[in-house]
Amino acid sequence: TPPEMAEVQNASAAETPKTPQSAAAERIGKRYKEMLESECQMCEDMQQLIATLTLLSQDKAWKLRPEHVQLIQRTCSTVHDLVRVHSAIREKMAMFAGCTNALTEVFTGSQEEMVTVHGEFQTLSTCVMVVLQKKAGGQVIGDRAVGTTLKAEGSLAAALAPVQDLLVRPSQRVMKYSLFLDEMAADARRSEQFDVEKTLRETLKVVRGITMDINERIR
């Protein structure tokens, strides 16, 4: 084929509009990639949380008692466990390279440990936030930190926001699994990949079970 003709054919192929089915199939791959990137970001966030809490526990401005320092140290230990669990999920997802059929196995294999570690972390992180809110002059009701007040000390209150943001990310990450999988299953149906849809629905059921078990463990 002459070079000019090849260029015309390539341009024509590039301009060919996608069908709804092919577009939906493509989105499944993109969602899988986003899930994998989300796992990578989770591990980075948790390493940042460990560093932040470690520095905070050594900051005399917070006037933390020994038991508060021990609480933060225990929380950091649990965060290390979170990194280990999510690193394993990330590695398995990367190994299967976009194979949605393997997702059920990935989450089923991690289910028990995810529930244990996330449940422990959420309990500890709530206690940490209550301690820090009180030290910063913030508002606490019962065992929940509910916000800052005008009496909150400026520098300490300002330091709360990034810590709180990092502390809530693990639970947000778990809830995000369901959103990803629900969208992927819907696109599998649109692209008429019914076996893939069935597998994704099964994975979605496992993930929702993990979320429910974590919540039950906290209660």
Side-chain angles (χ1 to χ4, degrees):
T1 303
E4 295 81 1
M5 183 63 71
E7 290 180 7
V8 171
Q9 290 176 346
N10 290 337
S12 177
E15 293 171 2
T16 302
K18 296 177 182 178
T19 64
Q21 290 81 4
S22 64
E26 187 176 305
R27 284 196 299 271
I28 294 173
K30 288 182 179 179
R31 291 289 179 270
Y32 190 100
K33 184 179 179 181
E34 288 171 2
M35 282 186 71
L36 181 55
E37 291 172 348
S38 180
E39 288 303 302
C40 295
Q41 187 63 52
M42 169 71 172
C43 293
E44 291 178 11
D45 290 344
M46 292 304 95
Q47 294 290 3
Q48 184 181 349
L49 177 59
I50 291 170
T52 301
L53 288 176
T54 300
L55 288 174
L56 187 150
S57 68
Q58 299 168 352
D59 188 346
K60 294 182 179 180
W62 287 93
K63 300 178 182 178
L64 298 172
R65 297 201 297 266
E67 60 268 29
H68 296 152
V69 175
Q70 290 175 4
L71 170 63
I72 291 174
Q73 290 173 341
R74 184 180 171 190
T75 303
C76 286
S77 177
T78 304
V79 176
H80 277 293
D81 290 336
L82 280 175
V83 173
R84 176 176 50 77
V85 170
H86 285 274
S87 292
I89 293 174
R90 178 191 62 194
E91 290 169 6
K92 289 177 183 177
M93 289 184 66
M95 181 176 63
F96 291 123
C99 178
T100 54
N101 291 334
L103 282 176
T104 305
E105 181 182 339
V106 169
F107 286 104
T108 301
S110 307
Q111 183 171 9
E112 184 175 347
E113 196 166 24
M114 281 187 69
V115 170
T116 300
V117 176
H118 273 273
E120 177 77 2
F121 172 76
Q122 289 193 29
T123 300
L124 290 171
S125 65
T126 298
C127 295
V128 168
M129 275 310 301
V130 167
V131 169
L132 297 181
Q133 284 277 34
K134 286 182 177 179
K135 290 295 181 179
Q139 192 173 7
V140 174
I141 296 179
D143 62 350
R144 290 289 184 271
V146 296
T148 56
T149 67
L150 294 175
K151 295 181 181 179
E153 299 178 29
S155 60
L156 297 185
L160 280 177
V163 176
Q164 188 170 24
D165 179 56
L166 288 168
L167 286 171
V168 300
R169 288 188 188 181
S171 60
Q172 291 174 341
R173 196 74 59 188
V174 172
M175 290 186 291
K176 202 170 182 180
Y177 289 140
S178 295
L179 298 177
F180 278 128
L181 291 166
D182 197 32
E183 291 175 357
M184 291 166 73
D187 278 327
R189 173 171 285 276
R190 294 186 189 101
S191 58
E192 299 179 358
Q193 300 180 70
F194 300 115
D195 288 343
V196 173
E197 181 194 8
K198 181 180 178 182
T199 301
L200 289 169
R201 294 292 180 195
E202 290 172 355
T203 309
L204 181 60
K205 184 177 179 180
V206 171
V207 167
R208 285 175 174 166
I210 290 172
T211 304
M212 289 178 61
D213 289 345
I214 291 172
N215 292 334
E216 285 299 318
R217 190 178 182 87
I218 295 170
R219 293 193 188 100

